[in-house]
C-alpha cells in the first residue's frame, strides 16, 4: 500500500470531474482526478451544450476549441403527421442575453476530449483504471483508498469531490439518500447515418398524439442522433435491438437509416440527493441529480456544479476565504437541481403522456405556442434564459445580498455587449471584481483599493439599461460571474463588510489591473 497527498481528490472523470479538475488547475490548486474506466467514453450521450456552459468555458480559455468542434443549431423544425407545423429560429434566439446566443451541439465524448487535452496541457493526467474503494472524513482531511490493477493506494486529501455519476460510490459511502423515481416509458437513443427530409444544421422534432421523436445532427462527419420513446409493445424488452424497432423509428423520425453507430435504450430517472455535502466531501453532477433529458440540461448542470464548487474550494485551500464559504455550495446548487427536476419533469410528462387530451394539445397547440413564443423578443428571451441556464440565480443563497436596478445578489451578471468587446471579458481573471456601469467615483475606488478587488467601470449604455443594471450602481462579482452584492450606491463600507465577513482576499491583489482598451478603466 502506497501513500500520497493532494489538495482536492476528484472521483470520476466524466464532464463534471473534468470541469472541476480544469477550473481548480487554472486556479492553481493541486488536484488528482481518476476514473475506474480504463478509457474515456466514446459515445455521443449529452449533445446540447448550453450558453452558460460556453460562458464558463470562455472564462478558462477553452471556448474556441469547443465551438470549433461542434455545430450551431440554427432552426428547430416541428413536424406533425399533417406536415411541418413550425420552423423556429435558434441561430440568435438569445441575442443580447449571452455572447453565445444560439443552440449548440457537441457530442459528449468530443467535449470530454477537449477538456482532457487542456488538462494535459496544464500538466494533469487523468488516472485511468483507478477506482475509489473506500474513504473516511477524519475532520482535518479525507483519507481515501484507491485501487488500480490490484494495487492499493492511500491518498490524504483536503477535500474529496464525488463526480462519479448516477451510481456514485461517494454518495453511497456518505449514506445519502437519492429519492425520486423512474418514468414508466423507456427511451431509445441512436447515433446513425441516414437520409431523409431533415433540416441541415437544424433539429427536427416529430410530435404525434402518442409521443415525440427528435432528430439532431451529431458529428461534423454527418451522423445524426435519433431519440424517441420505445414503442409500447417493446417497453418490457431490456435487450431490444435497433432492428426490432427500425420500422417505428423510421416512421416517427422520417429518417431512413443506413448505418447504426450506436444504439441504446434507457429508463429515465428523476432524483436529487438529500445532501450535496457532508464535511469535507462533496457531490457534483449526476452523483447528486439525475433527470429526464428534456431540454439537454444534465451534463450542463453537472458542469455548473463543478464551477460553483471550484472557486470556493480554491479560495479555501489557498487561505483566501473562510471555510464557511463552502457552506454556500449545497444550498445554491441543490435548490437549482430541485427547480430543474420540476421543470424537466413537467416537460417530460407533456412530451410523453398517453392521455388523448394531452396528445391533442401536444400535436395541435404546442407548435403554435412555441411559434408565437420564439417569434416575439420577450418569448424568445424567456425561453433562452431557461434553456441556456443563463437565468440561473442564487438570490435565496447565503452569500447573496442587495438589489440595484433589476439585478440582485445571486443573479448571473447580465451580459452587456459593447463596441469591440463586452463586460464578460474581465471574468477571465477567475477572480472577484466590482463592476460599475457609468462613473466610478474616486473615493469609492480609493477605498476599495485596500481590499485588492479591482473596479471595472464601463461606459453607461442602452445595453446596460436593457440588461437591468442601474446607472452608477456598484456590483461585486464572484469568480463564477454571479453577482454577490448589488448596491445602488457606491458605498465602499458595504463592500468591505461583505468581503471581510467571508475573509475574502482576491487572487489578483498583487497583479496589474485588467484593462480593455477604450471601453473601461480598472483600478485595483
Ligand atoms: C443517452 C443520453 C443522452 C443524454 N443527453 C444529454 C443532453 O443532451 N444534454 C445534457 O446536458 N445531458 C445529457 N445526458 C446526461 C449526461 O450524459 C450526464 O448528465 C453526464 O454524463 C453526467 O456527467 P458526470 O460527469 O456527472 O457523470 P458521468 O458522465 O456518469 O461520469 C462519472 C464517471 O465516474 C466514474 N466512476 C464511477 N464510480 C467510480 C469510482 N468508484 N471510482 C472512480 N471512478 C468512478 C465513471 O466511470 C464515469 O466515467 C444524456 C445522457 C444519456 C445517457
Amino acid at each position: 500500500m502506497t501513500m500520497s497527498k493532494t489538495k482536492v481528490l476528484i472521483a470520476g472523470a466524466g464532464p463534471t470531474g473534468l470541469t472541476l479538475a480544469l477550473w481548480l488547475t487554472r486556479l492553481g490548486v493541486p488536484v488528482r482526478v481518476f476514473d475506474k474506466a480504463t478509457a474515456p467514453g466514446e459515445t455521443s450521450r449529452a449533445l446540447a451544450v448550453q450558453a452558460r456552459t460556453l460562458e464558463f468555458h470562455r472564462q478558462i480559455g477553452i471556448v474556441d476549441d469547443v465551438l470549433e468542434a461542434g455545430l450551431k443549431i440554427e432552426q428547430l423544425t416541428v413536424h406533425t403527421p399533417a406536415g411541418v407545423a413550425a420552423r423556429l429560429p435558434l441561430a440568435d434566439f438569445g441575442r443580447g442575453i449571452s455572447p453565445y446566443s444560439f443552440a449548440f451541439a457537441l457530442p459528449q465524448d468530443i467535449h470530454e476530449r477537449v477538456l482532457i487535452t487542456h488538462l494535459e496541457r496544464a500538466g494533469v493526467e487523468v488516472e485511468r483504471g483507478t477506482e475509489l474503494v473506500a474513504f473516511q472524513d477524519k475532520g482535518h482531511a479525507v483519507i481515501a483508498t484507491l485501487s488500480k490493477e490490484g494495487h492499493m493506494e492511500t491518498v490524504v486529501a483536503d477535500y474529496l469531490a464525488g463526480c462519479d455519476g448516477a451510481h456514485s460510490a461517494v454518495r453511497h459511502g456518505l449514506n445519502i439518500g437519492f429519492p425520486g423515481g423512474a418514468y414508466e416509458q423507456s427511451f431509445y437513443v441512436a447515433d446513425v447515418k441516414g437520409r431523409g427530409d431533415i433540416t441541415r444544421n437544424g433539429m427536427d422534432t416529430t410530435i404525434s398524439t402518442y409521443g415525440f421523436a427528435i432528430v439532431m445532427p451529431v458529428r461534423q462527419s454527418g451522423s445524426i442522433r435519433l431519440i424517441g420513446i420505445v414503442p409500447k409493445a417493446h417497453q418490457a424488452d431490456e435487450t431490444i435491438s435497433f432492428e426490432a424497432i427500425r420500422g417505428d423509428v423510421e416512421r416517427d423520425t422520417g429518417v431512413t437509416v443506413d448505418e447504426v453507430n450506436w444504439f441504446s435504450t434507457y429508463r429515465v430517472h428523476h432524483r436529487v440527493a438529500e445532501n450535496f455535502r457532508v464535511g469535507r466531501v462533496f457531490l457534483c453532477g449526476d452523483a447528486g441529480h439525475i433527470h429526464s433529458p428534456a431540454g439537454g440540461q444534465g451534463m450542463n448542470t453537472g458542469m455548473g456544479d463543478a464551477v460553483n464548487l471550484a472557486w470556493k474550494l480554491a479560495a479555501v485551500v489557498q487561505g483566501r476565504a473562510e471555510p464557511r464559504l463552502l457552506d454556500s455550495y449545497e444550498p445554491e446548487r441543490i435548490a437549482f437541481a430541485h427547480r430543474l427536476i420540476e421543470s424537466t419533469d413537467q416537460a417530460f410528462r407533456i412530451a410523453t403522456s398517453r392521455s388523448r387530451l394531452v396528445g391533442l394539445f401536444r400535436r395541435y397547440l404546442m407548435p403554435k405556442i412555441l411559434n408565437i413564443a420564439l417569434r416575439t423578443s420577450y418569448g424568445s428571451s424567456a425561453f433562452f434564459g431557461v434553456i441556456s441556464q443563463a437565468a440561473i440565480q442564487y438570490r435565496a443563497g447565503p452569500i447573496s445580498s442587495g438589489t440595484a436596478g433589476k439585478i440582485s445578489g445571486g443573479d448571473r451578471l447580465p451580459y452587456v455587449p459593447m463596441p469591440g468587446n463586452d463586460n464578460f471579458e474581465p471574468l477571465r481573471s477567475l477572480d472577484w471584481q466590482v463592476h460599475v456601469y457609468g462613473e466610478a467615483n474616486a473615493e469609492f475606488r480609493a477605498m476599495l483599493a485596500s481590499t485588492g478587488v479591482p473596479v471595472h467601470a464601463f461606459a453607461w449604455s442602452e445595453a446596460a439599461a436593457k440588461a437591468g443594471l442601474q446607472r452608477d450602481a456598484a456590483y461585486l462579482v464572484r469568480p463564477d460571474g454571479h453577482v454577490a452584492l448589488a448596491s445602488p450606491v457606491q458605498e465602499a463600507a458595504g463592500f468591505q463588510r461583505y468581503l471581510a465577513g467571508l475573509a475574502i482576499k482576491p487572487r489578483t491583489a498583487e497583479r496589474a489591473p485588467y484593462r480593455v482598451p477604450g471601453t473601461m478603466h480598472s483600478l485595483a
Side-chain angles (χ1 to χ4, degrees):
M1 174 99 77
T2 52
M3 190 158 174
S4 57
K5 278 188 170 186
T6 191
K7 287 287 177 194
V8 181
L9 185 64
I10 302 170
T16 305
L18 292 170
T19 302
L20 181 60
L22 193 50
W23 269 73
L24 284 168
T25 302
R26 290 281 197 270
L27 287 160
V29 177
V31 298
R32 280 183 64 181
V33 52
F34 63 94
D35 200 295
K36 68 179 181 186
T38 49
E42 285 182 352
T43 53
S44 54
R45 291 158 295 153
L47 264 188
V49 182
Q50 305 298 350
R52 189 69 187 119
T53 303
L54 294 171
E55 291 170 1
F56 289 140
H57 284 350
R58 175 177 170 187
Q59 287 191 255
I60 54 167
I62 67 167
V63 73
D64 291 342
D65 289 355
V66 168
L67 290 175
E68 171 80 12
L71 292 169
K72 285 187 190 175
I73 306 291
E74 288 172 5
Q75 182 172 282
L76 170 64
T77 307
V78 182
H79 304 259
T80 67
V84 171
R87 291 188 202 277
L88 309 170
L90 299 179
D92 196 21
F93 73 127
R95 184 167 14 153
I97 301 175
S98 171
Y100 311 104
S101 56
F102 41 84
F104 185 72
L106 174 66
Q108 187 173 324
D109 53 337
I110 299 182
H111 201 158
E112 288 177 9
R113 225 181 294 149
V114 174
L115 295 163
I116 292 166
T117 302
H118 281 275
L119 265 177
E120 286 173 352
R121 278 188 204 151
V124 178
E125 288 283 336
V126 175
E127 300 169 43
R128 300 274 169 202
T130 306
E131 183 169 1
L132 177 76
V133 289
F135 65 92
Q136 236 188 333
D137 185 345
K138 293 283 193 188
H140 65 286
V142 180
I143 316 285
T145 309
L146 311 189
S147 158
K148 183 175 187 177
E149 293 165 359
H151 173 80
M152 296 292 180
E153 181 187 359
T154 299
V155 184
V156 181
D158 285 11
Y159 294 96
L160 169 66
C163 306
D164 50 347
H167 303 288
S168 173
V170 175
R171 193 185 64 240
H172 286 294
L174 292 171
N175 216 4
I176 292 177
F178 203 28
Y183 296 102
E184 186 195 331
Q185 304 91 336
S186 57
F187 276 75
Y188 68 79
V189 193
D191 192 324
V192 305
K193 293 226 163 144
R195 295 159 281 132
D197 178 22
I198 42 181
T199 317
R200 209 177 124 72
N201 287 351
M203 182 172 152
D204 290 77
T205 181
T206 307
I207 299 179
S208 62
T209 35
Y210 58 86
F212 75 99
I214 292 173
V215 182
M216 243 176 124
V218 178
R219 307 201 183 252
Q220 283 160 334
S221 63
S223 69
I224 43 185
R225 159 76 66 89
L226 310 178
I227 307 172
I229 300 170
V230 172
K232 215 173 171 183
H234 297 276
Q235 283 284 345
D237 181 358
E238 287 187 3
T239 55
I240 189 173
S241 70
F242 177 77
E243 290 310 323
I245 58 167
R246 175 189 281 271
D248 300 88
V249 174
E250 292 192 339
R251 182 201 61 220
D252 290 350
T253 60
V255 173
T256 306
V257 176
D258 297 323
E259 193 182 313
V260 181
N261 302 329
W262 171 60
F263 172 75
S264 175
T265 60
Y266 64 103
R267 195 167 287 281
V268 176
H269 290 249
H270 48 96
R271 298 179 188 278
V272 180
E274 283 162 346
N275 294 98
F276 281 11
R277 176 197 183 184
V278 178
R280 290 179 171 269
V281 185
F282 294 84
L283 295 180
C284 308
D286 276 19
H289 45 81
I290 47 171
H291 33 84
S292 97
Q297 302 291 311
M299 177 191 70
N300 294 276
T301 306
M303 290 169 133
D305 294 341
V307 173
N308 188 293
L309 183 59
W311 67 268
K312 293 172 184 173
L313 276 178
V316 172
V317 300
Q318 292 170 340
R320 294 184 290 99
E322 289 273 357
R324 69 190 170 78
L325 176 63
L326 294 170
D327 297 347
S328 61
Y329 170 71
E330 178 181 292
E332 290 188 347
R333 294 307 294 180
I334 213 166
F336 177 64
H338 281 293
R339 286 200 296 272
L340 185 63
I341 298 271
E342 229 170 84
S343 57
T344 51
D345 186 54
Q346 267 171 7
F348 193 75
R349 286 187 195 284
I350 292 173
T352 60
S353 168
R354 295 212 176 99
S355 136
R356 188 159 162 71
L357 206 62
V358 178
L360 291 171
F361 165 79
R362 195 164 53 213
R363 180 170 163 184
Y364 295 106
L365 273 181
M366 207 166 75
K368 288 195 174 60
I369 293 170
L370 280 173
N371 207 359
I372 293 166
L374 275 166
R375 285 180 193 283
T376 63
S377 90
Y378 178 79
S380 71
S381 298
F383 185 63
F384 180 84
V386 172
I387 212 89
S388 70
Q389 304 203 340
I392 289 183
Q393 47 83 9
Y394 308 129
R395 285 184 182 189
I399 57 167
S400 303
S401 183
T403 299
K406 291 186 182 143
I407 306 305
S408 294
D411 288 352
R412 158 186 165 275
L413 178 73
Y415 167 62
V416 182
M418 46 191 82
N421 220 307
D422 63 36
N423 65 331
F424 280 8
E425 193 57 18
L427 300 178
R428 287 179 191 263
S429 69
L430 308 183
D431 207 357
W432 290 88
Q433 50 201 273
V434 170
H435 283 203
V436 172
Y437 297 81
E439 287 293 321
N441 74 54
E443 192 191 344
F444 180 66
R445 284 179 180 283
M447 284 185 75
L448 268 186
S450 65
T451 66
V453 176
V455 178
H456 300 300
F458 301 86
W460 180 248
S461 65
E462 214 176 284
K466 209 168 151 206
L469 293 154
Q470 182 178 316
R471 188 172 195 154
D472 296 341
Y475 301 90
L476 176 64
V477 183
R478 317 180 334 178
D480 60 356
H482 280 261
V483 173
L485 168 65
S487 167
V489 289
Q490 294 176 31
E491 195 186 28
F495 288 74
Q496 289 165 331
R497 252 195 322 274
Y498 181 99
L499 295 165
L502 288 162
I504 288 163
K505 294 177 202 75
R507 300 170 64 224
T508 48
E510 309 291 311
R511 292 194 211 153
Y514 184 87
R515 211 175 275 278
V516 177
T519 55
M520 61 179 214
H521 319 281
S522 307
L523 274 185

